[in-house]
Coordinates of all heavy atoms in Angstrom, one line a residue:
L1448 N 0.8 -1.2 0.0 CA 0.0 0.0 0.0 C 0.9 1.3 0.0 O 0.5 2.3 -0.7 CB -0.9 0.0 1.2 CG -2.0 -1.2 1.2 CD1 -2.7 -1.2 2.5 CD2 -2.9 -1.1 0.0
A1449 N 2.0 1.2 0.7 CA 2.9 2.4 0.7 C 3.5 2.6 -0.7 O 3.9 3.8 -1.0 CB 4.0 2.1 1.8
A1450 N 3.6 1.6 -1.5 CA 4.1 1.7 -2.8 C 3.1 2.2 -3.9 O 3.4 2.2 -5.0 CB 4.7 0.4 -3.3
G1451 N 1.9 2.5 -3.4 CA 0.9 3.0 -4.3 C 0.0 2.1 -4.9 O -0.9 2.4 -5.7
V1452 N 0.1 0.8 -4.6 CA -0.9 -0.2 -5.1 C -2.2 -0.1 -4.3 O -2.2 0.1 -3.0 CB -0.3 -1.6 -4.9 CG1 -1.3 -2.7 -5.4 CG2 1.0 -1.7 -5.8
G1453 N -3.3 -0.3 -4.9 CA -4.6 0.0 -4.3 C -5.3 -1.0 -3.5 O -6.1 -0.7 -2.6
G1454 N -5.1 -2.3 -3.8 CA -5.8 -3.4 -3.1 C -4.9 -4.5 -2.8 O -3.7 -4.7 -3.3
I1455 N -5.4 -5.4 -1.9 CA -4.6 -6.6 -1.4 C -5.4 -7.8 -1.7 O -6.6 -7.9 -1.3 CB -4.3 -6.5 0.1 CG1 -3.5 -5.2 0.4 CG2 -3.6 -7.7 0.6 CD1 -2.1 -5.2 -0.2
K1456 N -4.8 -8.8 -2.3 CA -5.4 -10.2 -2.4 C -4.6 -11.2 -1.7 O -3.4 -11.2 -1.8 CB -5.6 -10.6 -3.9 CG -6.4 -11.8 -4.1 CD -6.6 -12.1 -5.5 CE -5.4 -12.8 -6.2 NZ -5.7 -13.1 -7.6
I1457 N -5.3 -12.0 -0.9 CA -4.6 -13.1 -0.2 C -5.2 -14.4 -0.6 O -6.3 -14.5 -1.1 CB -4.7 -12.9 1.3 CG1 -6.1 -13.1 1.9 CG2 -4.1 -11.5 1.7 CD1 -6.2 -13.2 3.4
K1458 N -4.4 -15.5 -0.4 CA -4.8 -16.8 -0.7 C -5.6 -17.5 0.4 O -5.3 -17.3 1.6 CB -3.6 -17.7 -1.1 CG -2.8 -17.1 -2.3 CD -3.5 -17.3 -3.6 CE -2.7 -16.9 -4.8 NZ -3.3 -17.2 -6.0
V1459 N -6.6 -18.3 0.0 CA -7.3 -19.1 1.0 C -7.5 -20.5 0.3 O -6.8 -20.8 -0.6 CB -8.7 -18.5 1.3 CG1 -8.6 -17.2 2.1 CG2 -9.5 -18.3 0.0
G1460 N -8.3 -21.3 0.9 CA -8.5 -22.7 0.4 C -7.7 -23.7 1.1 O -7.4 -24.8 0.6
Q1461 N -7.3 -23.4 2.4 CA -6.5 -24.4 3.2 C -7.4 -25.6 3.6 O -8.6 -25.5 3.6 CB -5.9 -23.7 4.4 CG -5.0 -22.6 4.0 CD -4.5 -21.9 5.3 OE1 -3.5 -22.3 5.9 NE2 -5.2 -20.8 5.7
P1462 N -6.8 -26.7 4.0 CA -7.6 -27.8 4.5 C -8.5 -27.5 5.6 O -9.7 -28.0 5.7 CB -6.5 -28.8 4.9 CG -5.3 -28.5 4.0 CD -5.4 -27.0 3.9
D1463 N -8.1 -26.6 6.5 CA -8.9 -26.1 7.6 C -9.5 -24.7 7.2 O -8.8 -23.7 7.3 CB -8.1 -26.0 8.9 CG -9.0 -25.5 10.1 OD1 -10.2 -25.3 9.9 OD2 -8.4 -25.4 11.2
W1464 N -10.7 -24.7 6.8 CA -11.3 -23.4 6.3 C -11.4 -22.4 7.4 O -11.5 -21.2 7.1 CB -12.7 -23.7 5.6 CG -13.7 -24.2 6.5 CD1 -14.0 -25.5 6.8 CD2 -14.7 -23.5 7.2 NE1 -15.0 -25.7 7.6 CE2 -15.5 -24.4 7.9 CE3 -15.0 -22.1 7.4 CZ2 -16.6 -24.1 8.7 CZ3 -16.0 -21.8 8.2 CH2 -16.8 -22.7 8.9
R1465 N -11.5 -22.8 8.6 CA -11.5 -21.9 9.7 C -10.2 -21.0 9.8 O -10.3 -19.9 10.2 CB -11.8 -22.6 11.1 CG -13.2 -23.3 11.1 CD -13.3 -24.1 12.4 NE -14.6 -24.8 12.4 CZ -14.8 -26.0 11.7 NH1 -13.7 -26.6 11.1 NH2 -15.9 -26.6 11.8
E1466 N -9.1 -21.7 9.4 CA -7.9 -20.9 9.4 C -7.9 -19.9 8.3 O -7.4 -18.8 8.4 CB -6.7 -21.9 9.1 CG -5.3 -21.2 9.1 CD -5.0 -20.4 10.3 OE1 -5.5 -20.8 11.4 OE2 -4.2 -19.5 10.2
D1467 N -8.6 -20.2 7.2 CA -8.8 -19.2 6.1 C -9.5 -17.9 6.7 O -9.1 -16.8 6.5 CB -9.7 -19.7 5.0 CG -8.9 -20.7 4.1 OD1 -7.7 -20.6 4.0 OD2 -9.6 -21.5 3.5
L1468 N -10.6 -18.2 7.5 CA -11.3 -17.1 8.0 C -10.5 -16.3 9.0 O -10.6 -15.0 9.0 CB -12.6 -17.6 8.7 CG -13.6 -18.3 7.9 CD1 -14.8 -18.7 8.7 CD2 -14.1 -17.4 6.7
R1469 N -9.7 -16.9 9.8 CA -8.8 -16.2 10.7 C -7.8 -15.3 9.9 O -7.5 -14.2 10.3 CB -8.0 -17.2 11.6 CG -8.9 -17.8 12.7 CD -8.1 -18.6 13.7 NE -7.6 -19.9 13.2 CZ -8.3 -21.0 13.3 NH1 -9.5 -21.0 13.9 NH2 -7.8 -22.1 12.8
R1470 N -7.2 -15.8 8.8 CA -6.3 -15.0 8.1 C -7.0 -13.8 7.4 O -6.4 -12.7 7.4 CB -5.6 -15.9 7.0 CG -4.6 -16.8 7.5 CD -4.0 -17.8 6.4 NE -3.1 -17.2 5.5 CZ -1.8 -17.1 5.6 NH1 -1.2 -17.6 6.7 NH2 -1.1 -16.5 4.7
V1471 N -8.1 -14.0 6.9 CA -8.8 -12.9 6.2 C -9.2 -11.9 7.3 O -9.0 -10.7 7.1 CB -10.1 -13.4 5.5 CG1 -10.9 -12.2 5.0 CG2 -9.7 -14.4 4.4
A1472 N -9.7 -12.3 8.5 CA -10.0 -11.4 9.5 C -8.8 -10.6 10.0 O -8.9 -9.4 10.2 CB -10.6 -12.1 10.7
A1473 N -7.7 -11.2 10.1 CA -6.5 -10.5 10.5 C -6.0 -9.5 9.5 O -5.6 -8.4 9.9 CB -5.3 -11.5 10.8
V1474 N -6.1 -9.8 8.2 CA -5.7 -8.9 7.2 C -6.7 -7.7 7.1 O -6.3 -6.5 7.0 CB -5.5 -9.6 5.8 CG1 -5.3 -8.5 4.7 CG2 -4.4 -10.6 5.9
R1475 N -8.0 -8.0 7.2 CA -9.0 -6.9 7.1 C -8.8 -6.0 8.3 O -8.8 -4.7 8.1 CB -10.4 -7.5 7.1 CG -11.5 -6.5 7.3 CD -11.4 -5.4 6.3 NE -11.9 -5.7 5.0 CZ -11.7 -5.0 3.9 NH1 -10.8 -4.0 3.9 NH2 -12.2 -5.3 2.7
E1476 N -8.5 -6.5 9.5 CA -8.3 -5.6 10.6 C -7.0 -4.8 10.4 O -7.0 -3.6 10.8 CB -8.2 -6.5 11.9 CG -7.9 -5.6 13.2 CD -7.8 -6.5 14.4 OE1 -7.7 -7.7 14.3 OE2 -7.8 -5.9 15.5
H1477 N -6.0 -5.4 9.8 CA -4.7 -4.7 9.7 C -4.8 -3.6 8.7 O -4.3 -2.5 8.9 CB -3.7 -5.7 9.2 CG -2.3 -5.1 9.0 ND1 -1.5 -4.6 10.0 CD2 -1.6 -4.9 7.8 CE1 -0.4 -4.2 9.5 NE2 -0.5 -4.3 8.2
I1478 N -5.5 -3.8 7.5 CA -5.5 -2.8 6.5 C -6.7 -1.8 6.7 O -6.7 -0.7 6.0 CB -5.5 -3.4 5.1 CG1 -6.8 -4.2 4.9 CG2 -4.3 -4.3 4.9 CD1 -7.0 -4.8 3.5
G1479 N -7.6 -2.1 7.5 CA -8.8 -1.3 7.7 C -9.9 -1.5 6.8 O -9.8 -2.3 5.8
P1480 N -11.1 -0.9 7.1 CA -12.3 -1.2 6.3 C -12.3 -0.7 4.9 O -13.2 -1.1 4.1 CB -13.4 -0.6 7.2 CG -12.7 0.5 7.9 CD -11.3 0.1 8.1
D1481 N -11.5 0.3 4.6 CA -11.6 1.0 3.3 C -10.7 0.5 2.2 O -10.9 0.9 1.0 CB -11.4 2.5 3.5 CG -12.4 3.1 4.5 OD1 -13.6 2.6 4.5 OD2 -12.1 4.0 5.2

């Protein structure tokens, strides 16, 4: 984001889908709602 790129995509699809949700939640909290 500091380099001027506008969005972030992360990978999901792990054997434990709950871990996917935890990763997405952590990134969303980190980068903010906007």
